[in-house]
Amino acid sequence: MCLWLNFEKNCVATLGICTNKTSSILTTEAVNRPFLYPVSKTCFRSRTSARVKMKRSKGGGDEEAPRHNGSAGRRKADQQQSDGDEGGSDIGPADLQDDDNDQGLRREIRSKYRDLISSVQQNREDMLSPSNNKLTEVLEEANKLFKDVRQAREAALDAQLLVVATDLGKEKASQLFSEGTAFDPTAFAEHLLSFMGLNRLEDDEDEQQNTANGYLPQDAWHRLARRAECCFRTAPSFHYMMGSFYAEPPPPKQRIERQRKAPSKEAKRIMPTQLKKMEESQQEATEKEVERILGYLKSYYQDDPTSPISYYEFVIDPSSFSRTVENIFHTSFLIRDGLARMYLDEEKLPCIAPVEEGEVEAGGSTSRKQCILSISPKIWKELIDAFDIKDSIIRPPNTQND
Amino acid sequence: MTFGDSLPFMRCVAMTQRKRPSSTQSSSQRRHTGNLVAQDEDDDATFTQPSTSQVQRGLEKLTPAQVDQKTAEVVQYFLVKDQKKMPVRRADLVKHVVKDYRNIYPEILKRAARTFDQVFGLKLVEIDPKNKMYILVNNLETPDKASPVRSPSNPKMGLLLAILSVIFMKGGVVRENLIWNTLRKLRVDPGEKHEEFGDVRKMVTDEFVRQRYLEYVRIPHTEPIEHEFRWGQRADAEVSKAKILEFMGELHEQDPKTWTQQYRQAHSLPNSSQASTSSSSQR
């Protein structure tokens, strides 16, 4: 609270009470009531001036408000000089008019007040810094101006200046009051910039804070965001792996369909010319392959109808994983069409055997069972080792000697 | 004519000012959620919390599969809404998802909260008991250092961290000019379009406020109109003050304890207790 006592040294008595009020307001209220201050200060101020005027009219000259007495003293002198008719202690209307009529002076005072107000508002951060006394200087300047204040308009500007100044004063006071280190947002910003990887240029000329030296890297804010992840307990956002979820109906789909239609038409056009070059379509190739495998199965079975054919030995090609997969694929057609059947032997290993004609009706009443086979290169190798498969039963199509 | 006269005046001014904050807060909330709340206010007003016996009766009429299905729908609704970090209003939830099952609404919400906890490691938090708003918060422990996994980070979170730090270190409320000036020092000018953030002013005063990370409240009696920033309800639930203080300590190369007031504030309450969990509180 020494802040107040400093700038109003000659008004200690008058401001003493106001100080008590402001300090009690500071401690009891939350620190967010700037508007309380102006109310108390302006009403205080207008009351003192009213009080002084009343007292003067009564004839007394009090020492209670020395500042106002300064102006009162000057007035008394003016009175004696200019207006000998009026009583010495009365403020006659004529006396007021002389000063009031000086419109130039009024305007000057008002404009000076406005300058002071804007300087406080513009340089707020500067004045907040505890290292200077700029606020005190502003208030001393206001004191000087107030001596010449006569009309309500100027007093209102003075009150406005006080609003702004007391607000700043309150913040400065709270800086003093707070235990521990004060927090300076400017320093914080500087540290943050360094953290984000600011590359400061080597110019020693631009040492002022205002000029922006250096440039921030591209990922500056990402660095800070990553550090923020440690402080935030944000729930990770849910997204479909296949793409994000849009609530709006998807108009782009139509465009995609149109695009798809175009190539297919072209493909159809190309197809007929290509067909001459291709011997078979893919479907026929599969059927041929399936028949060929059936042939292998039957011949193998007829060699020894009693011994069961291990499924794995049948389909696996020890030299090629991809051909093994093809074999499994084609064999599945045999089973689907009821031309072969799979069963488990005593050791619960899968075996395959061709279906005798007439044994089972194709698509018959027997319940069809399905299973899904999966094989990976690792499993394929393990099977080769386990069953000791040296040769493939199903010869690869290229080496076929038909 | 004495100074004593001014005392009662100041006192009653102080009294009226003291009452203001709650009304400004709710009016600002009403303003922010204004348009969206208007249509659903009727729905929420007519939605009365069913009693436990009503819930029991409702449950008896439905199969477990139906209840599970509805719970799953609520869970999915929350997860999608959480993508944009917008809070979920009870009125919306009842109107769009729960619909006919509103008589067992408390049970559904309880199950959804359990699913979030056990399946996703998330916590369903009620951030606004008056307006019945919910958010999802991570229930798992935050890592001490940045995650080694290089997942894409959102730069907005960096800006938010800067703003929240300033507000916290300055006692919980700051005038908006302080934030704008600090941002300018960080090469982010609210008046210009930023290459990374776009319209910064809108992002800070609109998006972050709607997400409930910040509160942007008008200060009465200011001319020209000024606002102040505070932590929002989501920030209270999600952000650890202690960790922020730790970060400050790193930046300034000081012991966090040197900021005694902030240290006390950060370590007095368990951090996410300010927003109550939904499973026990009234819905």
Side-chain angles (χ1 to χ4, degrees):
Chain A
M1 283 294 108
C2 51
L3 180 69
W4 303 116
L5 300 173
N6 262 344
F7 78 86
E8 294 263 2
K9 266 191 284 230
N10 49 349
C11 295
V12 165
T14 53
L15 269 178
I17 294 170
C18 189
T19 311
N20 285 343
K21 281 287 140 261
T22 54
S23 66
S24 65
I25 288 166
L26 249 185
T27 50
T28 55
E29 293 282 320
V31 204
N32 313 312
R33 300 286 179 269
F35 31 86
L36 269 180
Y37 290 85
V39 170
S40 58
K41 277 226 72 145
T42 44
C43 75
F44 155 78
R45 205 122 177 211
S46 52
R47 277 166 195 260
T48 23
S49 42
R51 235 181 86 252
V52 165
K53 284 188 182 148
M54 292 284 291
K55 283 225 164 113
R56 256 190 278 134
S57 60
K58 281 180 193 160
D62 280 348
E63 291 304 316
E64 280 181 48
R67 172 145 54 116
H68 302 297
N69 273 347
S71 50
R74 187 163 67 89
R75 277 206 191 163
K76 272 192 179 158
D78 285 347
Q79 273 179 313
Q80 280 154 16
Q81 281 170 14
S82 57
D83 201 348
D85 299 338
E86 305 276 345
S89 32
D90 272 325
I91 311 168
D95 168 49
L96 287 168
Q97 271 171 14
D98 272 350
D99 284 330
D100 283 358
N101 283 342
D102 190 352
Q103 289 296 323
L105 183 60
R106 303 293 118 226
R107 267 196 295 272
E108 201 188 310
I109 290 174
R110 285 200 295 271
S111 100
K112 281 190 187 159
Y113 265 122
R114 284 196 202 100
D115 288 340
L116 276 177
I117 291 169
S118 73
S119 85
V120 173
Q121 284 175 334
Q122 304 281 323
N123 304 325
R124 189 195 171 86
E125 308 267 319
D126 210 17
M127 292 198 167
L128 264 182
S129 160
S131 55
N132 60 45
N133 264 335
K134 287 193 183 158
L135 184 60
T136 315
E137 289 161 17
V138 165
L139 286 165
E140 277 170 1
E141 188 67 38
N143 279 354
K144 288 185 207 148
L145 278 177
F146 189 76
K147 290 193 182 111
D148 293 325
V149 164
R150 296 285 176 275
Q151 290 181 334
R153 268 174 90 178
E154 295 122 41
L157 278 173
D158 178 75
Q160 198 183 344
L161 176 62
L162 273 181
V163 169
V164 177
T166 49
D167 187 49
L168 213 59
K170 177 202 80 172
E171 255 203 73
K172 283 190 91 157
S174 68
Q175 277 182 359
L176 295 171
F177 269 130
S178 62
E179 312 154 32
T181 329
F183 175 75
D184 182 16
T186 317
F188 168 67
E190 287 296 311
H191 286 124
L192 254 193
L193 285 172
S194 306
F195 178 84
M196 294 201 284
L198 177 77
N199 295 306
R200 292 178 203 274
L201 300 173
E202 297 284 317
D203 280 340
D204 281 346
E205 301 160 15
D206 291 329
E207 287 278 334
Q208 289 142 20
Q209 291 170 354
N210 292 333
T211 52
N213 29 359
Y215 61 95
L216 278 175
Q218 272 278 14
D219 68 338
W221 287 103
H222 286 274
R223 281 193 215 191
L224 190 59
R226 208 161 287 130
R227 184 64 179 82
E229 281 167 20
C230 306
C231 309
F232 283 60
R233 294 174 72 135
T234 328
S237 294
F238 163 80
H239 292 283
Y240 287 105
M241 287 172 78
M242 298 300 287
S244 49
F245 169 72
Y246 288 114
E248 303 93 33
K253 261 189 190 169
Q254 293 165 7
R255 284 179 228 149
I256 294 171
E257 280 168 14
R258 277 180 230 134
Q259 284 168 6
R260 276 189 201 144
K261 277 177 196 164
S264 66
K265 279 181 197 160
E266 290 169 26
K268 278 178 196 163
R269 278 182 236 134
I270 294 169
M271 275 284 279
T273 51
Q274 279 189 352
L275 269 173
K276 291 174 194 166
K277 297 174 191 170
M278 269 168 55
E279 291 188 351
E280 297 138 354
S281 71
Q282 275 202 337
Q283 264 191 327
E284 288 180 20
T286 311
E287 283 172 15
K288 270 202 142 188
E289 196 52 33
V290 169
E291 277 181 34
R292 194 172 68 89
I293 286 175
L294 183 61
Y296 274 111
L297 182 64
K298 281 188 176 163
S299 65
Y300 204 76
Y301 184 72
Q302 270 153 17
D303 284 345
D304 190 357
T306 50
S307 80
I309 310 168
S310 162
Y311 176 74
Y312 291 124
E313 283 186 26
F314 182 64
V315 292
I316 285 181
D317 183 343
S319 58
S320 164
F321 174 71
S322 50
R323 248 179 259 128
T324 305
V325 174
E326 277 178 26
N327 294 339
I328 297 177
F329 174 62
H330 294 131
T331 317
S332 65
F333 281 97
L334 288 176
I335 303 198
R336 179 195 73 171
D337 294 335
L339 297 166
R341 64 185 173 92
M342 273 178 73
Y343 60 97
L344 297 177
D345 67 0
E346 301 98 32
E347 282 156 18
K348 301 285 183 201
L349 293 168
C351 296
I352 188 169
V355 166
E356 303 297 316
E357 287 171 21
E359 199 178 295
V360 179
E361 304 127 26
S365 52
T366 49
S367 62
R368 311 270 288 225
K369 295 189 181 123
Q370 293 180 24
C371 81
I372 298 174
L373 268 173
S374 68
I375 187 166
S376 70
K378 183 168 169 247
I379 296 175
W380 171 68
K381 285 200 189 115
E382 283 172 7
L383 284 168
I384 293 172
D385 291 334
F387 287 91
D388 201 22
I389 301 170
K390 300 263 170 15
D391 263 333
S392 59
I393 297 178
I394 303 169
R395 294 261 173 267
N398 296 335
T399 60
Q400 196 180 347
N401 295 325
D402 250 359
Chain B
M1 294 306 276
T2 56
F3 293 104
D5 289 348
S6 52
L7 275 175
F9 175 73
M10 284 196 283
R11 222 181 271 134
C12 52
V13 168
M15 298 271 272
T16 47
Q17 301 310 346
R18 220 176 278 137
K19 281 184 198 150
R20 287 291 175 103
S22 49
S23 60
T24 44
Q25 211 172 37
S26 57
S27 69
S28 75
Q29 270 190 354
R30 239 176 279 129
R31 199 187 313 131
H32 290 303
T33 61
N35 303 334
L36 306 167
V37 169
Q39 352 163 309
D40 296 312
E41 243 171 17
D42 292 338
D43 276 1
D44 202 40
T46 57
F47 180 78
T48 44
Q49 187 82 347
S51 66
T52 14
S53 55
Q54 280 177 315
V55 172
Q56 273 304 110
R57 262 181 275 135
L59 279 173
E60 282 160 21
K61 291 182 190 159
L62 298 164
T63 66
Q66 284 174 307
V67 183
D68 284 342
Q69 168 75 14
K70 201 41 86 174
T71 308
E73 284 172 21
V74 168
V75 166
Q76 201 167 34
Y77 182 79
F78 263 102
L79 286 173
V80 173
K81 275 281 196 174
D82 187 62
Q83 284 174 353
K84 294 259 161 58
K85 296 294 170 203
M86 293 296 164
V88 173
R89 225 175 295 114
R90 181 177 76 174
D92 282 343
L93 194 61
V94 170
K95 181 176 164 196
H96 294 127
V97 187
V98 178
K99 293 194 234 191
D100 297 329
Y101 289 59
R102 55 177 73 199
N103 55 337
I104 55 162
Y105 169 81
E107 180 63 26
I108 292 179
L109 205 67
K110 190 166 83 172
R111 290 188 192 197
R114 193 169 48 193
T115 306
F116 282 124
D117 180 39
Q118 292 174 349
V119 176
F120 294 95
L122 301 175
K123 194 158 72 168
L124 183 67
V125 175
E126 185 180 50
I127 54 167
D128 190 346
K130 184 169 160 257
N131 292 336
K132 300 288 179 212
M133 301 257 213
Y134 302 98
I135 57 164
L136 288 178
V137 160
N138 205 335
N139 213 9
L140 305 174
E141 280 294 314
T142 40
D144 278 335
K145 290 178 291 196
S147 160
V149 176
R150 290 243 149 200
S151 54
S153 52
N154 187 356
K156 289 182 187 176
M157 288 293 122
L159 192 71
L160 185 62
L161 178 70
I163 297 175
L164 288 175
S165 309
V166 171
I167 299 177
F168 170 58
M169 296 302 282
K170 276 289 187 185
V173 195
V174 289
R175 292 188 102 129
E176 61 178 313
N177 283 327
L178 181 66
I179 297 293
W180 303 134
N181 289 337
T182 311
L183 287 186
R184 266 182 220 114
K185 293 195 183 100
L186 293 171
R187 321 285 175 88
V188 176
D189 194 332
E192 291 167 11
K193 188 164 178 220
H194 191 260
E195 56 177 17
E196 189 120 33
F197 301 119
D199 187 344
V200 174
R201 187 176 272 267
K202 184 165 174 228
M203 187 176 81
V204 174
T205 60
D206 183 49
E207 190 181 326
F208 285 160
V209 173
R210 274 188 296 129
Q211 291 176 332
R212 301 293 197 272
Y213 276 117
L214 293 176
E215 263 180 37
Y216 184 63
V217 177
R218 194 183 145 182
I219 307 172
H221 303 312
T222 47
E223 197 62 47
I225 298 176
E226 273 186 60
H227 301 81
E228 51 189 23
F229 278 107
R230 285 168 212 250
W231 275 37
Q233 297 134 326
R234 186 186 281 271
D236 288 328
E238 268 189 28
V239 187
S240 156
K241 293 188 162 106
K243 293 258 168 87
I244 288 198
L245 206 57
E246 224 178 86
F247 181 49
M248 291 294 122
E250 281 172 29
L251 279 185
H252 292 79
E253 285 170 3
Q254 281 175 245
D255 186 352
K257 294 202 181 115
T258 55
W259 292 286
T260 44
Q261 280 187 328
Q262 291 90 339
Y263 188 81
R264 216 181 300 139
Q265 212 191 356
H267 290 270
S268 58
L269 302 161
N271 263 313
S272 37
S273 71
Q274 279 135 334
S276 52
T277 53
S278 71
S279 48
S280 50
S281 67
Q282 266 199 347
R283 279 163 238 126

